[in-house]
């Protein structure tokens, strides 16, 4: 493709080598590294790691199968080799990129065969182009690709929004579960693929593709290794013991209501614990769940447990995640909003106690946030501002000012 070896060609070959090496190393890292070198306390999704490793492996191989074409002086042979490379991209690179984006959404296991289904026309058109040894079908390839990109982007935006609602319904702490980064990955990959399809033909194009590819590998590796595995797991033995102790204490304190609670439990068992969403919850069940939350979550401060999930809370209540989610929907809120409201209120109570006990001393917000159930101060700060409309710093300054005024 490039008949004469120039400085630009040498630099491009260096970028090829760097890109191929980075992709290969990232692939081997995800396959063989058991721990997480980026964030040790994060357990990443196994399914996502495996598919991302496959994507990185194909990216590394892609550098190899395109390399001979870039070095050929014979224009016809180089063109044929590039067509073969494009066919391999349509068969492997593009579908795997779509699969990685689907695997980032952990609310359910979406079918992955759809990635090959929507790229099938591209594969067919590319295979015909190889057989014809011609770029005559390139406009059709470009047109279908743009249509595919728009359709998949619309689908992913809808699914990411659904994923965000699922997170708020099931997790109190959204750290390492960010939705916006899934949209960023989608935007970067789609833009890169669009440029790949329509911008071919110059050495500047080759430089841009290689630089973007290197950046994508680095960012995607970081994103995969900092995304928390959200598959629901049974409570650990210690958590079960704690939940049982809290349940026993709550039942002892509310012995007069045992009959009602037993009836509620029987209703759950009778329908398999999975009511029909269209029917909703009866007023009696709503009242019982509200009472259980008051006794076993609020009364025993279960919300202070870091990374408490809706599954764990439902187990502590003696119900299930479906009923609990329907209860919060009936109250016009989400699990995330409920837990964070309790934690913020507890933080405010701790701050006022600290202010009264140590007049004139600054409140240690980070320590109190940790005691309120937050592992990350950044997550706490966002939740605090959402609930109060003020930053933590401004709210504490206002409280200290008011306390000083009352003292004077």
């Amino acid at each position: 493709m490039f008949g004469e070896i120039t400085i630009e060609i040498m630099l491009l070959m260096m970028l090829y080598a760097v890109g191929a090496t980075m992709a290969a190393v990232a692939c081997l890292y995800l396959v063989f590294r058991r721990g997480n070198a980026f964030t040790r306390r994060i357990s990443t999704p196994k399914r996502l790691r495996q598919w991302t490793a496959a994507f990185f492996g194909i990216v590394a191989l892609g550098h190899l199968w395109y390399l001979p074409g870039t070095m050929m002086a014979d224009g016809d042979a180089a063109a044929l080799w590039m067509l073969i490379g494009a066919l391999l991209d349509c068969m492997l690179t593009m579908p795997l990129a779509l699969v990685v984006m689907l695997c980032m959404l952990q609310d359910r296991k979406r079918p992955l065969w759809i990635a090959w289904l929507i790229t099938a026309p591209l594969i067919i058109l590319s295979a015909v182009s190889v057989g014809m040894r011609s770029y005559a079908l390139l406009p059709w390839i470009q047109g279908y690709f743009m249509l595919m990109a728009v359709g998949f982007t619309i689908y992913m935006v809808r699914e990411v929004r659904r994923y965000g609602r699922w997170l708020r319904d099931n997790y109190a702490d959204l750290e390492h579960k960010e939705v916006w980064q899934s949209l960023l990955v989608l935007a970067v990959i789609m833009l890169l693929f669009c440029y790949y399809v329509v911008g071919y033909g110059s050495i500047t194009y080759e430089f841009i593709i290689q630089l973007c590819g290197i950046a994508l590998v680095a960012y995607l590796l970081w994103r995969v290794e900092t995304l928390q595995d959200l598959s629901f797991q049974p409570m650990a033995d210690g958590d079960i013991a704690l939940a049982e102790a809290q349940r026993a204490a709550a039942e002892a304190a509310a012995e007069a209501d045992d009959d009602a609670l037993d009836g509620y439990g029987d209703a759950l068992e009778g329908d398999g614990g999975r009511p029909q969403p269209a029917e909703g919850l009866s007023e009696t069940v709503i009242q019982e769940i509200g009472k259980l939350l008051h006794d076993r979550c609020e009364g025993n401060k279960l919300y202070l447990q870091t990374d408490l999930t809706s599954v764990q809370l439902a187990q502590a209540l003696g119900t299930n995640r479906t009923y609990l989610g329907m209860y919060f929907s009936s109250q016009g809120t989400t699990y995330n909003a409920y837990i964070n409201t309790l934690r913020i209120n507890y933080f405010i109570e701790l701050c006022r106690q600290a202010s009264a006990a140590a007049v004139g001393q600054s409140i240690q917000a980070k320590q109190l946030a940790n005691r309120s159930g937050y592992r990350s101060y950044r997550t706490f700060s966002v939740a605090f501002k959402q609930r109060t409309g003020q930053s933590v710093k401004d709210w504490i300054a206002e409280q200290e000012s008011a306390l000083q005024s009352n003292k004077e």
Side-chain angles (χ1 to χ4, degrees):
M1 182 178 181
F2 303 115
E4 181 181 351
I5 302 298
T6 64
I7 294 179
E8 290 179 332
I9 300 300
M10 292 177 64
L11 289 175
L12 181 59
M13 292 301 102
M14 291 175 61
L15 278 180
Y16 255 78
V18 171
T21 301
M22 281 189 62
V25 170
C27 172
L28 295 174
Y29 167 83
L30 290 178
V31 170
F32 295 107
R33 172 85 182 188
R34 294 187 177 182
N36 190 328
F38 291 80
T39 310
R40 295 187 181 278
R41 63 184 177 85
I42 294 297
S43 176
T44 57
K46 183 178 180 181
R47 185 182 189 222
L48 177 60
R49 284 175 65 95
Q50 291 173 340
W51 281 108
T52 306
F55 173 68
F56 287 156
I58 291 301
V59 170
L61 290 175
H63 286 76
L64 298 180
W65 70 53
Y66 272 116
L67 187 59
T70 63
M71 302 301 295
M72 289 179 180
D74 185 340
D76 292 337
L80 176 60
W81 200 275
M82 290 300 174
L83 285 172
I84 294 173
L87 173 60
L88 292 173
D89 275 342
C90 292
M91 293 175 60
L92 299 171
T93 310
M94 291 183 185
L96 284 174
L98 303 186
V99 164
V100 168
M101 288 186 282
L102 290 172
C103 289
M104 283 189 174
L105 308 182
Q106 301 180 65
D107 51 332
R108 62 185 177 88
K109 284 192 175 182
R110 292 167 175 79
L112 302 181
W113 53 263
I114 191 175
W116 279 272
L117 177 64
I118 64 177
T119 55
L122 287 177
I123 297 173
I124 295 172
L125 290 171
S126 297
V128 173
S129 295
V130 171
M132 295 171 56
R133 299 191 177 190
S134 170
Y135 285 91
L137 296 180
L138 183 58
W140 290 91
I141 293 174
Q142 292 174 335
Y144 178 79
F145 180 84
M146 299 304 293
L147 182 65
M148 182 195 77
V150 171
F152 187 77
T153 299
I154 293 173
Y155 169 79
M156 281 297 295
V157 168
R158 186 191 68 181
E159 292 302 298
V160 167
R161 292 183 63 185
R162 180 180 297 174
Y163 177 59
R165 290 194 296 269
W166 177 79
L167 288 177
R168 292 189 293 273
D169 286 340
N170 292 283
Y171 293 91
D173 189 349
L174 300 183
E175 185 188 18
H176 301 301
K177 308 172 183 69
E178 299 90 343
V179 173
W180 68 269
Q181 290 207 30
S182 296
L183 291 174
L184 179 60
V185 171
L186 170 66
V188 170
I189 290 180
M190 286 295 113
L191 288 174
L192 184 58
F193 278 167
C194 287
Y195 184 69
Y196 166 81
V197 170
V198 303
Y200 177 77
S202 68
I203 194 170
T204 301
Y205 161 88
E206 297 291 343
F207 272 107
I208 292 175
I209 285 293
Q210 293 306 312
L211 289 172
C212 290
I214 291 171
L216 178 62
V217 169
Y219 171 72
L220 197 54
L221 177 62
W222 173 84
R223 178 56 183 154
V224 169
E225 287 295 79
T226 55
L227 183 64
Q228 176 66 51
D229 181 9
L230 303 183
S231 56
F232 285 111
Q233 301 292 337
M235 295 179 75
D237 292 341
D239 291 334
I240 292 175
L242 174 62
E244 290 297 332
Q246 292 168 336
R247 184 186 306 177
E251 289 175 351
E255 187 175 352
D257 297 327
D258 278 349
D259 292 339
L261 293 178
D262 289 340
Y264 169 61
D266 293 339
L268 286 179
E269 294 175 1
D271 63 7
R274 293 184 180 277
Q276 295 298 321
E279 298 176 1
L281 298 179
S282 68
E283 189 62 32
T284 300
V285 173
I286 290 175
Q287 291 177 0
E288 291 300 334
I289 293 180
K291 184 179 183 303
L292 288 169
L293 284 171
H294 181 270
D295 292 342
R296 299 178 184 179
C297 181
E298 300 169 26
N300 294 302
K301 296 183 172 59
L302 189 61
Y303 55 87
L304 298 182
Q305 179 181 318
T306 304
D307 292 332
L308 179 70
T309 68
S310 64
V311 170
Q312 293 172 324
L313 178 58
Q315 289 176 334
L317 300 183
T319 181
N320 62 66
R321 180 162 53 100
T322 302
Y323 265 70
L324 191 60
M326 294 176 69
Y327 168 81
F328 287 128
S329 295
S330 72
Q331 303 302 301
T333 187
T334 64
Y335 171 75
N336 177 267
Y338 169 75
I339 295 296
N340 278 289
T341 296
L342 295 177
R343 288 177 173 177
I344 296 300
N345 291 340
Y346 187 77
F347 172 84
I348 291 174
E349 179 184 346
L350 290 179
C351 283
R352 288 172 177 165
Q353 292 175 359
S355 297
V359 179
Q361 297 184 16
S362 299
I363 296 174
Q364 300 298 317
K366 290 186 178 181
Q367 295 179 8
L368 298 184
N370 184 260
R371 289 176 56 188
S372 301
Y374 289 98
R375 177 178 291 163
S376 166
Y377 185 75
R378 175 181 172 275
T379 301
F380 160 73
S381 299
V382 172
F384 187 89
K385 190 165 186 178
Q386 289 176 342
R387 300 297 178 274
T388 66
Q390 290 180 289
S391 67
V392 180
K393 182 178 179 181
D394 290 343
W395 183 87
I396 290 178
E398 184 179 285
Q399 297 300 308
E400 291 178 342
S401 176
L403 186 63
Q404 186 66 29
S405 298
N406 293 335
K407 181 182 176 182
E408 295 174 354

